[in-house]
Amino acid sequence: MAFERIDSETIYDGKIATVKKDTFRYEDGEEAEREIVEHPGAVAVVAHDGESIYLVAQPREPVDEQSLLELPAGKLDEDGEGAEATAKRELAEEIGKGARDWKFLTRFYTSPGFAQEECHLYLATDLYDEQAESDENERIEIVTRPLSELDDLIAGCRDAKSLVGLLWFRSYLR
Amino acid sequence: MAFERIDSETIYDGKIATVKKDTFRYEDGEEAEREIVEHPGAVAVVAHDGESIYLVAQPREPVDEQSLLELPAGKLDEDGEGAEATAKRELAEEIGKGARDWKFLTRFYTSPGFAQEECHLYLATDLYDEQAESDENERIEIVTRPLSELDDLIAGCRDAKSLVGLLWFRSYLR
């Protein structure tokens, strides 16, 4: 099933969404064009203090949700900041916390059929206050939920990366 | 945090990716434009026979993976076929199985920051052979894995919807 990319063309270059039309050649000799939405990658963080888990509620216009409850998360900067550094920055910017203990959990593609986005999932524990400035997150609300309500949280979660993090925590970490 | 959509413009209309630039007005009076990748929605299926779980391996050009292991899945048709009907069709097309028992598990947005895609997750059990024709799936390979290897499967899974399904199964269904 091997393929190679033999051509790549940017067909729409927007602020968030950049769409490429790439041409691939497969080992059977066939060639096919594919539209691909470029994405720099992302991080998400399961952050808890042993009692409660820290979440953010924010409007998600693309899916018409006035307030979607998610793990703290953010996009990788395109200036080469690594995934763990991004996770630390986003945790401080979004929920005003640092963590003395960081652990990489897993990585996954959010929608590999059409988008390039890869999400790196971290666990952050031994938390402390560390406020960071950010102008991009003005509509974000910090939400804490007791770990004892984890199953309710999972049942109501509508965001893939957050579901992976919550279910991973339930399966391997609690 | 309420918002309303006050304008919508299609700025790129491709075969797979359609990008809109929508304008939103927030309750504080501010207005903002957002780029949104349209998507008809998708289904994914946790299908097992009590011994093994059924998966598919396929090339995923957008993320440069020669072979990504995923749950059977597919896009909703735009002609109004419902999510459960789509799940049944995809299971037959991708792994050649029908199921006497179907259960809706949950639904989630794969990347709500920029894409509209919502994925509906189902459990399919009491399987039987039911081959269906499909010309779109020629590069898909059926893979079965013993349920006893579920943790290895989860550790190596790089696809968000499949991770949600496998972790959901591990948490609530096995």
Side-chain angles (χ1 to χ4, degrees):
Chain A
M1 294 203 305
F3 63 84
E4 59 176 339
R5 179 180 278 101
I6 57 173
D7 193 30
S8 180
E9 182 191 357
T10 297
I11 47 178
Y12 172 73
D13 190 3
K15 250 199 306 196
I16 296 181
T18 295
V19 181
K20 293 187 307 177
K21 186 181 281 181
D22 290 3
T23 309
F24 297 88
R25 181 184 294 132
Y26 300 87
E27 59 185 3
D28 58 10
E30 199 184 322
E31 294 182 6
E33 284 184 342
R34 296 293 302 266
E35 288 167 0
I36 296 170
V37 177
E38 284 195 308
H39 194 286
V43 297
V45 184
V46 177
H48 74 87
D49 60 12
E51 294 283 322
S52 295
I53 186 162
Y54 286 81
L55 302 158
V56 293
Q58 61 192 313
R60 286 303 201 180
E61 299 86 346
V63 294
D64 266 320
E65 294 281 351
Q66 298 288 331
S67 176
L68 207 61
L69 197 58
E70 304 177 33
L71 297 180
K75 277 196 290 192
L76 292 183
D77 276 340
E78 289 169 56
D79 63 2
E81 183 185 45
E84 188 169 323
T86 304
K88 290 175 178 175
R89 179 174 54 74
E90 290 288 348
L91 195 69
E93 286 180 4
E94 292 202 341
I95 67 160
K97 296 286 180 189
R100 290 182 195 88
D101 197 7
W102 284 90
K103 189 177 174 229
F104 171 73
L105 298 178
T106 195
R107 63 186 174 83
F108 49 86
Y109 305 107
T110 54
S111 199
F114 74 96
Q116 203 181 28
E117 181 181 17
E118 182 176 23
C119 183
H120 304 257
L121 182 68
Y122 288 89
L123 174 71
T125 51
D126 201 351
L127 305 177
Y128 56 90
D129 290 340
E130 182 181 74
Q131 203 63 50
E133 288 293 318
S134 171
D135 46 33
E136 62 175 306
N137 298 319
E138 57 190 27
R139 297 184 201 284
I140 286 186
E141 178 192 352
I142 301 168
V143 176
T144 59
R145 287 284 181 84
L147 290 176
S148 58
E149 293 174 14
L150 187 60
D151 283 336
D152 288 344
L153 200 52
I154 289 169
C157 184
R158 296 284 166 264
D159 171 53
K161 66 181 178 303
S162 304
L163 263 178
V164 172
L166 295 171
L167 286 162
W168 194 284
F169 178 77
R170 189 188 191 286
S171 292
Y172 299 117
L173 301 170
R174 68 168 183 178
Chain B
M1 295 204 303
F3 63 84
E4 57 176 342
R5 178 180 277 101
I6 57 174
D7 195 30
S8 180
E9 182 191 357
T10 297
I11 48 179
Y12 172 73
D13 190 4
K15 249 199 307 196
I16 296 182
T18 295
V19 181
K20 294 188 306 178
K21 187 181 281 180
D22 289 4
T23 308
F24 297 89
R25 181 185 295 135
Y26 300 87
E27 59 185 3
D28 57 11
E30 199 184 324
E31 293 181 6
E33 283 184 343
R34 296 292 303 266
E35 288 167 0
I36 296 170
V37 178
E38 283 195 309
H39 194 285
V43 298
V45 184
V46 177
H48 73 87
D49 59 12
E51 293 282 322
S52 295
I53 185 161
Y54 286 81
L55 303 158
V56 294
Q58 61 192 312
R60 285 304 200 180
E61 299 87 348
V63 295
D64 266 321
E65 294 280 351
Q66 298 288 333
S67 175
L68 207 62
L69 197 58
E70 303 176 34
L71 297 180
K75 277 197 289 192
L76 292 183
D77 276 339
E78 290 170 55
D79 63 3
E81 182 185 44
E84 187 168 324
T86 304
K88 290 175 178 174
R89 180 174 53 73
E90 290 288 347
L91 195 68
E93 287 181 2
E94 291 203 340
I95 67 160
K97 297 285 179 188
R100 290 182 195 88
D101 196 6
W102 284 89
K103 190 176 174 229
F104 171 73
L105 298 179
T106 194
R107 61 184 176 84
F108 49 86
Y109 305 107
T110 53
S111 199
F114 73 95
Q116 204 181 27
E117 182 182 16
E118 183 176 21
C119 182
H120 304 256
L121 181 68
Y122 289 89
L123 174 71
T125 52
D126 202 351
L127 306 176
Y128 55 91
D129 290 340
E130 183 181 74
Q131 204 64 49
E133 288 293 318
S134 171
D135 46 32
E136 62 175 305
N137 296 320
E138 55 190 29
R139 296 184 201 283
I140 286 185
E141 178 193 352
I142 301 168
V143 175
T144 58
R145 287 283 181 86
L147 290 175
S148 59
E149 293 175 14
L150 187 60
D151 284 335
D152 287 344
L153 199 53
I154 289 169
C157 183
R158 296 283 166 262
D159 171 52
K161 66 181 178 305
S162 304
L163 263 177
V164 171
L166 294 171
L167 286 162
W168 194 285
F169 178 76
R170 189 187 190 285
S171 292
Y172 300 116
L173 301 170
R174 69 167 183 178

